[in-house]
Amino acid sequence: MYPLKFEPILKQILWGGDKIIPFKHLNETLSNVGESWEVSAVEGSESVVANGVDKGLTLPEMVRKYKEELVGETNYARFGNKFPLLIKFIDAKLDLSIQVHPDDELAKKRHNSFGKNEMWYVIDADKGAKLISGFSEQITPKEYKERVYNGTFAEVLQTCAIVPGDVFYVPAGRVHGIGAGAFVAEIQQTSDITYRIFDYNRKDKDGKSRELHTSQAIDAINFSDVQDDFRTAYEHVQNEPVEMVASPYFTTSIYDMTEEITCDYSELDSFVIFICVEGACDILDNEKNEISLVAGETILLPAAIQEIMIKPRGSVKLLETYV
């Protein structure tokens, strides 16, 4: 097997902006592109291989074809033919809805789906851009209902001003929202289940309000999720991997590089995804496959790949994630 690139899946959304297409160097004229799904096995939005002998196959077809070779023995035993991660770029020109995601147990019961634990890495942020993550004070389910209906729910949420490089882990059950001017990479479980709590009374292109899930959200919300700052702290070190998030769902590190690095994956029983958020590099694997990676691109290294060498072209910043 060899490092895989996929065709981006661009999503035009009423809150979408104009940053994704130039960031990804795409020859497109679409407007309001809110998301680019980079690696997806979500039904109806399956990624298609863009390179090599498997060009044209979807990610679910690849999992069925290669099984453990692609995802790793443990992952295949755990997830079967379901690829467990979804990778996105998100560009919010306007505020996204305030929302919450169910955990695995609730999502399985209600939707026969994975839950949705996720993380954000801030690639860019307009002046004044913010993210909403968690509560600023503890409230009860009764107070939640009252505040949603009288329009004061946002008053008890933790709002954080953001700068590039900020990281937020957003476990299922944490109320959250991406604010206008935020441009982030999102790593999450393979799930498209979102309970919208408040959507700023917006109308869609047909003049209709988007559906809210105020009641369904109550069972998903962690009402004791109160902190002063929900950012994930990590060291800023060059030329070595720095782990930012380690969870049962994914582990993510950042590589801020100006020098070559060799990564030994012989003991790792998982695929690895690299998301390039700045600069460019070339990656050479132990089978002599070489692939370029520039800002805005994402690659999937099959579990069968044992070792890679990353060769920066100047400087490069990569997010590395695996299960």
Side-chain angles (χ1 to χ4, degrees), residues 87-259:
I87 310 296
K88 301 177 182 177
F89 294 121
I90 299 176
D91 173 22
K93 188 176 182 179
L94 305 172
D95 293 328
L96 274 66
S97 61
I98 296 171
Q99 55 190 242
V100 71
H101 304 306
D103 62 15
D104 281 346
E105 184 181 358
L106 186 59
K108 177 72 174 172
K109 186 169 86 174
R110 283 186 177 171
H111 312 282
N112 194 30
S113 169
F114 293 133
K116 197 172 180 185
N117 291 264
E118 63 189 19
M119 67 165 283
W120 301 320
Y121 175 87
V122 179
I123 298 170
D124 194 14
D126 293 348
K127 187 175 180 180
K130 297 177 173 65
L131 293 172
I132 292 170
S133 184
F135 290 110
S136 57
E137 62 184 74
Q138 192 159 347
I139 64 171
T140 64
K142 181 174 181 290
E143 187 181 352
Y144 157 79
K145 278 187 170 178
E146 291 168 354
R147 284 185 172 276
V148 168
Y149 288 120
N150 67 24
T152 62
F153 184 55
E155 294 175 10
V156 294
L157 299 178
Q158 190 67 263
T159 301
C160 307
I162 54 171
V163 296
D166 280 349
V167 171
F168 291 76
Y169 180 61
V170 186
R174 180 170 293 168
V175 175
H176 61 277
I178 296 176
F183 183 43
V184 305
E186 182 174 270
I187 298 165
Q188 59 166 90
Q189 288 175 275
T190 293
S191 170
D192 201 26
I193 299 168
T194 294
Y195 297 149
R196 281 192 210 101
I197 299 167
F198 180 64
D199 195 39
Y200 304 96
N201 304 312
R202 284 185 293 219
K203 310 291 185 191
D204 65 16
K205 65 181 187 303
D206 300 318
K208 297 176 182 175
S209 298
R210 294 206 294 173
E211 183 183 2
L212 299 180
H213 313 95
T214 309
S215 298
Q216 297 99 310
I218 288 180
D219 298 327
I221 293 172
N222 178 0
F223 285 99
S224 61
D225 195 16
V226 181
Q227 295 179 36
D228 291 333
D229 190 341
F230 286 87
R231 281 181 194 82
T232 298
Y234 66 97
E235 287 187 279
H236 293 263
V237 181
Q238 276 201 318
N239 298 314
E240 60 181 81
V242 177
E243 188 176 281
M244 299 186 297
V245 171
S247 78
Y249 310 99
F250 50 80
T251 297
T252 303
S253 300
I254 186 163
Y255 290 65
D256 183 358
M257 300 168 52
T258 57
E259 301 171 0

Side-chain angles (χ1 to χ4, degrees), residues 25-65:
H25 315 286
L26 299 176
N27 184 23
E28 295 277 0
T29 56
L30 299 175
S31 59
N32 301 111
V33 176
E35 299 181 349
S36 175
W37 290 25
E38 297 289 292
V39 179
S40 169
V42 173
E43 188 175 351
S45 294
E46 296 92 346
S47 292
V48 174
V49 177
N51 66 317
V53 297
D54 290 307
K55 183 176 180 178
L57 291 182
T58 67
L59 180 53
E61 287 169 340
M62 291 290 289
V63 177
R64 290 194 292 270
K65 179 177 177 179

